[in-house]
Amino acid sequence: MDRRALLAGGLLLAVVPAATQAQEKFPARPIQMIVPFPPGGVADITGRPTAQVMGRLLGQSVVVVNKAGAGGSVGAALAARAQPDGYTILMALSSISVLPVADRLQGRAPAYELDQLTPIALISADPTVLVVSADGPYRTLKDLVEAAKAKPGTINYGSSGVYGTLHVAMEIFAGAAGIKLFHIPYQGGGPAVAALLGGQIDCLASGPAAAIGQIKGGKMRALAVWGDKRLASLPDMPSMAELGYDATFYIWSGLFAPAATPQPILATLRDAVKRTVAEPNFKEAMAKVETPIAYLDAPEFKTFLARDAERLRIAVERIGKVPEK
């Protein structure tokens, strides 16, 4: 065989592995699910059972990786910049659309833009609850509002971060009630819950999943729900609407992928989520943490996201620039 034939054969052998790799069925290795908050918050509580069931259905592990920081911006930015190959997905909260708006308000370049990510599916939607320590002085929402009016800016509340979902929820309520509260941001909903239990803050907006155990265990008292009706799991807790406050707010959680992810891979991920939310094991896990499943496939989720993002943009711009420490 002459030299040219040997060279051609070598090139062919070099191309075969690349072609095989390009055609390998997705997923061929574990998938990383970024949760941009610490363990214990709504995204983590929803993400873990989602990852467990998705992994079983896909035949590859889906590994939850908590990447907390900047109210969710750190993890969201990592996902937005990841290789668009389906092996990095993001479990985000409502705040995903807030953070770029907030960055611009603060006079800095956004860590990511929403159009760098593409929706896979909406998974859950929690009406936020306002909770206080069971040992504290506030037994009703009226007690809290009256105290805040008597001493503006002295009652403090925790959140998952500046402009995060829980920050926005509390400011929507404060605006509706005509009160001024003092904001203390934490690095996620879990640490904020711990701060309330430790007596470091007076009140907190929380997804029911992150607080329901403490409420039922008598360590927290729920004063009201941001939803337009009462929660089935806490039927004695009034809604903001029935108390006369126009402050409806939901914390939703949904999966995203980098925007350039190929459609066949997105279709596989979408199908896996659709089957996941129908699995009895998943339904049982979500019921245990009192988190309502609110599944929407990518096209419907995209429409929902656009509407929700505009509503939150208006709320964030109403908060305005927050002094940085």
Side-chain angles (χ1 to χ4, degrees), residues 232-253:
S233 56
L234 295 169
D236 295 331
M237 179 178 60
S239 70
M240 295 274 186
E242 70 181 89
L243 294 174
Y245 300 110
D246 181 14
T248 301
F249 184 87
Y250 286 82
I251 297 178
W252 55 258
S253 59

Side-chain angles (χ1 to χ4, degrees), residues 4-311:
R4 285 177 298 177
L6 286 170
L7 181 60
L11 288 172
L12 180 61
L13 288 172
V15 169
V16 168
T20 302
Q21 185 178 12
Q23 295 171 9
E24 71 181 12
K25 186 178 179 181
F26 173 83
R29 62 180 191 271
I31 295 169
Q32 173 181 245
M33 178 190 288
I34 294 177
V35 171
F37 302 98
V42 174
D44 188 73
I45 286 170
T46 302
R48 290 185 182 276
T50 303
Q52 183 178 15
V53 178
M54 277 185 71
R56 176 166 54 80
L57 294 174
L58 288 168
Q60 289 287 349
S61 298
V62 178
V63 182
V64 172
V65 179
N66 296 92
K67 293 287 186 181
S73 278
V74 171
L78 284 173
R81 294 193 298 264
Q83 285 293 321
D85 55 10
Y87 291 103
T88 299
I89 57 178
L90 172 71
M91 178 63 80
L93 301 182
S94 325
S95 54
I96 191 172
S97 57
V98 166
L99 298 170
V101 179
D103 278 339
R104 281 188 283 273
L105 270 176
Q106 296 295 88
R108 56 179 177 253
Y112 66 92
E113 294 288 0
L114 197 55
D115 62 9
Q116 289 179 267
L117 295 157
T118 189
I120 297 172
L122 179 72
I123 296 177
S124 68
D126 265 341
T128 321
V129 295
L130 197 159
V131 293
V132 296
S133 170
D135 298 329
Y138 312 116
R139 304 197 64 82
T140 66
L141 192 64
K142 182 181 178 182
D143 293 341
L144 181 66
V145 170
E146 288 180 348
K149 286 183 175 179
K151 296 182 178 180
T154 60
I155 293 174
N156 57 46
Y157 70 92
S159 82
S160 54
V162 175
Y163 297 116
T165 306
L166 307 181
H167 180 197
V168 172
M170 285 297 289
E171 290 301 326
I172 288 175
F173 159 64
I179 58 177
K180 183 174 178 58
L181 302 170
F182 186 79
H183 176 220
I184 301 176
Y186 291 86
Q187 290 293 311
V193 168
L196 181 64
L197 293 172
Q200 298 162 21
I201 55 176
D202 298 312
C203 56
L204 174 71
S206 175
I212 193 76
Q214 306 292 350
I215 294 168
K216 291 188 173 181
K219 294 184 178 179
M220 287 184 183
R221 180 179 297 120
L223 301 186
V225 59
W226 266 262
D228 52 9
K229 59 184 179 182
R230 296 191 177 200
L231 289 176
S233 56
L234 295 169
D236 295 331
M237 179 178 60
S239 70
M240 295 274 186
E242 70 181 89
L243 294 174
Y245 300 110
D246 181 14
T248 301
F249 184 87
Y250 286 82
I251 297 178
W252 55 258
S253 59
L255 279 176
F256 292 78
T261 303
Q263 287 302 317
I265 291 175
L266 287 175
T268 298
L269 291 169
R270 287 168 56 187
D271 177 67
V273 178
K274 183 177 183 179
R275 290 189 292 146
T276 291
V277 299
E279 281 278 311
N281 288 348
F282 180 77
K283 292 179 178 179
E284 182 181 350
M286 297 295 277
K288 281 182 179 177
V289 292
E290 309 279 358
T291 299
I293 298 170
Y295 170 75
L296 290 178
D297 193 14
E300 295 78 18
F301 183 24
K302 188 173 182 179
T303 300
F304 169 90
L305 177 64
R307 185 170 58 247
D308 191 65
E310 177 61 14
R311 182 175 63 87

